Structures are given as structure tokens and as C-alpha cells.
Amino acid sequence: MTAGSTTTSSETGQDGIRIQLTPKEAAQTAALAERLSSTASGAVDHPDWIAAARTTSCALPVRLLEAIRSYRNDPGTDGLLAIGRLPVTHGALPPTPTVAQSAETAATVPAAISMLVGLQLGEIVAYRDEKRGALVQNVVPVPALETSQSNGGSVALQFHTENAFHPHRPDHIGLLCLRPAREGVGTYIASIRRALPLLADKDVAVLRESRFTTCAPPSFSAADHSCPHPVLSGHLDDPDIRVDFHATSALDDEGAAALDRLGAALDSVRCELALQPGEMVFLDNRLVVHGRGAFTPRYDGSDRWLHRVFVHLDNRRNREWRIDAGSVLI
Ligand SMILES: O=C(O)CCC(=O)C(=O)O
Ligand SMILES: [Fe+2]
């Protein structure tokens, strides 16, 4: 794909919205992010800074605004928005953090970019019991979490809807690559739009019933779990999916067998996103499950580093859950 084009499919075979910024658009975006870096209070979680970022986001390059709007209307078969060549200056980055609960609270250029793009898609939210409710979170490998099914782990991370246990899961999740993995390990995605035709009607019927429960992921400090819920819901031919293959259990054997077959169907349509520095993807968390391959961290500052943000599309629907009408949900 040439710089500057916006497409709905690509040579990777994925069907989503893809845009590569031109050098001029990247410079325009860098100027906005740099301005926000020196805007009081310089903290991405502060309501005044968020308000400034929301206003500033309206001045992003118009082609980027069009791509975001188009993705919001329909994220394609793969439920994906991929934005390339954002101005993340790879060489000037500090070492990759290695601590648990890592988040970016300062309005650095990459953190400001994550907020700017996310705030055009919707409202950026976080959860009080995960990474202390920080809005821009670091996805980095953490010593002692190697085998954990969380983004601090480095074993293969099973397919999941983000925060599948929560009644107000993110509508979209954004991942901005600051530093790539040495081994080229990728984020895996699989869309229910691709997997549905592979499922038997009987399994779909079982998956549409409230025969499943889901626990909170290990990244949450509070052990919580959902009420019984369906895995598939909404339109018969274009359903939403809610599942975490590590944390969702069926209440009976028939449900467990249907869940296994859903997992196999999703694995068979899996595609890999090998994120490059300056690449940000948004995944529609209602349509797409995501996971990650295994890799071997060094913990020497050179490991893979992503920023992550969560987006809700409707600030009223989650109002009861938002503390002091802010961005953090209980
Ligand atoms: O490491 C990744 O690519 C994704 C990790 C993940 O599932 C997340 O941060 O929500
Ligand atoms: Fe995740």
C-alpha cells in the first residue's frame, strides 16, 4: 500500500480499514502531540488534560478522521483499524519498562497520540481494579509474570474478548507499538464474522444461551466474575462475541463442547498483526477476539512495548459505573 492511501482491504488479506500517514500528516500529528505534552497538567489521567486532548483531536489530519469515522460505522470482516507511520520516534524512547501494573501517566508523545486517536473514536475509559485505572497502559513483559495469562506474560496469550467478565467491556481496544518484539511475535486476532460460517447451527444455538460464566483476568486486583451469559448475541447472521478461552467456563457439557468447537473455528481464521513502531491498531471488541504468541523477553529495556487504550462509544450507558462521572469504571 502506498503512503497516503486508505483502503478497506490489503495485501495481508485482512479486511478492515487501513491508513498510512504521509510525512506531512505525521508531522501534523507530531505537532499536536508535542503541544499536548506541554499542556497542563501534563498527566494523561487529569480531566483538564483529557478535555484539552479531546478538543485537539479534532485537528488530526482529515484523512485519519475519515478512516476513524469509517471504522466506527463498519470495522469490516476483521473488525480492524490499522494506522501506520504515526510519529513515534523509536530511537528516542526510554528503555521498555519491566514493572508490574505499568502505565504511562505522563503526557509523552506516544501517550498523547494514543489519547488523540482514541478520543476521536469515542471516550477513553479504564477500570479501577486494573492498572490502578490508568488510561494509557503499557503492554510489556514483566519478570515473574512470564506464565500469567495477562499482557505482562510472555507465554502464548489465549484468545479473549477484553474484560469479557465485565458488564461494560470496552467497545474497542487500541494498541500502539512503540518498540517491536525482536522475534517478531505478533498480536493474533480472529473475528466472529469469519468464524460464524464454520459453526454448526446447533452449536450456534447453544452459544446464544446464558450457559457460560467468565472470571476477571489476572490483571484485575479484585477477583470478580460474570453472571451466566451467552457467548454469541445480537443479530443471527452478524452476532457479537463475548468469550475468554482462559476465563470462560460452560455450565454444562453441551456448552463446553460448543465452546471447544468455537475455539477451533476461531483458530482456523486467525491472523497475525506484527505491529511495527508507529503502528496503531484498533480492534472491535464486540466482533474480534485477540491473543498473542509466546516470546522470550530479556528485561534489558529492549523488549516489546505497546501502549493500550480502551474506548467506549456511549458515555451514558456506563454512567452508573463511572466514578465521579470520570473516565474510570468500578
Ligand atoms: O500483547 C499483545 O499483543 C496483546 C495483549 C493483550 O491481550 C492486551 O493487552 O489486552
Ligand atoms: Fe487483551
Side-chain angles (χ1 to χ4, degrees), residues 107-149:
T108 60
V109 166
I113 290 173
S114 306
M115 293 291 286
L116 281 169
V117 181
L119 284 167
Q120 272 299 307
L121 181 58
E123 311 300 340
I124 296 191
V125 296
Y127 299 82
R128 181 190 61 192
D129 294 334
E130 187 182 42
K131 303 215 182 199
R132 298 178 297 273
L135 295 183
V136 178
Q137 304 176 357
N138 287 322
V139 177
V140 291
V142 175
L145 290 185
E146 274 100 352
T147 58
S148 125
Q149 282 291 310

Side-chain angles (χ1 to χ4, degrees), residues 151 157-158 160-163 173 175 290-291 308 310:
N151 66 27
L157 182 56
Q158 287 177 262
H160 58 281
T161 300
E162 197 63 32
N163 297 347
I173 128 164
L175 297 171
H290 65 280
R308 178 176 79 170
F310 296 147

Side-chain angles (χ1 to χ4, degrees), residues 77-241:
T77 312
D78 289 307
L80 175 72
L81 169 64
I83 306 162
R85 301 192 186 145
L86 285 161
V88 169
T89 38
H90 187 205
L93 287 177
T96 299
T98 56
V99 292
Q101 304 281 323
S102 180
E104 188 59 78
T105 53
T108 60
V109 166
I113 290 173
S114 306
M115 293 291 286
L116 281 169
V117 181
L119 284 167
Q120 272 299 307
L121 181 58
E123 311 300 340
I124 296 191
V125 296
Y127 299 82
R128 181 190 61 192
D129 294 334
E130 187 182 42
K131 303 215 182 199
R132 298 178 297 273
L135 295 183
V136 178
Q137 304 176 357
N138 287 322
V139 177
V140 291
V142 175
L145 290 185
E146 274 100 352
T147 58
S148 125
Q149 282 291 310
S150 74
N151 66 27
S154 38
V155 293
L157 182 56
Q158 287 177 262
F159 269 146
H160 58 281
T161 300
E162 197 63 32
N163 297 347
F165 80 101
H166 200 283
H168 290 281
R169 341 175 241 297
D171 293 320
H172 297 275
I173 128 164
L175 297 171
L176 170 66
C177 179
L178 282 68
R179 184 172 279 132
R182 278 178 305 274
E183 308 91 331
V185 65
T187 305
Y188 294 128
I189 61 168
S191 155
I192 188 60
R193 286 183 165 173
R194 285 205 190 273
L196 189 72
L198 307 178
L199 295 174
D201 291 348
K202 188 168 153 289
D203 284 339
V204 172
V206 171
L207 292 165
R208 292 182 70 90
E209 290 173 8
S210 292
R211 291 165 74 164
F212 307 87
T213 56
T214 301
C215 302
S219 52
F220 272 68
S221 49
D224 204 350
H225 61 85
S226 71
C227 301
H229 67 86
V231 164
L232 301 180
S233 61
H235 197 283
L236 274 176
D237 297 332
D238 187 13
D240 287 1
I241 185 169

Side-chain angles (χ1 to χ4, degrees), residues 1-140:
M1 187 167 70
T2 55
S5 62
T6 309
T7 58
T8 51
S9 64
S10 81
E11 56 276 16
T12 64
Q14 288 150 9
D15 173 54
I17 314 290
R18 307 183 79 87
I19 176 170
Q20 301 261 25
L21 297 195
T22 62
K24 193 171 161 204
E25 290 167 335
Q28 185 184 342
T29 306
L32 300 178
E34 276 155 20
R35 196 168 84 207
L36 279 172
S37 291
S38 51
T39 297
S41 60
V44 294
D45 298 289
H46 193 284
D48 295 345
W49 190 91
I50 298 168
R54 190 182 305 116
T55 307
T56 304
S57 71
C58 301
L60 283 168
V62 72
R63 246 172 19 92
L64 178 53
L65 299 179
E66 287 168 4
I68 295 167
R69 187 67 187 83
S70 167
Y71 165 80
R72 183 176 163 141
N73 172 246
D74 188 339
T77 312
D78 289 307
L80 175 72
L81 169 64
I83 306 162
R85 301 192 186 145
L86 285 161
V88 169
T89 38
H90 187 205
L93 287 177
T96 299
T98 56
V99 292
Q101 304 281 323
S102 180
E104 188 59 78
T105 53
T108 60
V109 166
I113 290 173
S114 306
M115 293 291 286
L116 281 169
V117 181
L119 284 167
Q120 272 299 307
L121 181 58
E123 311 300 340
I124 296 191
V125 296
Y127 299 82
R128 181 190 61 192
D129 294 334
E130 187 182 42
K131 303 215 182 199
R132 298 178 297 273
L135 295 183
V136 178
Q137 304 176 357
N138 287 322
V139 177
V140 291

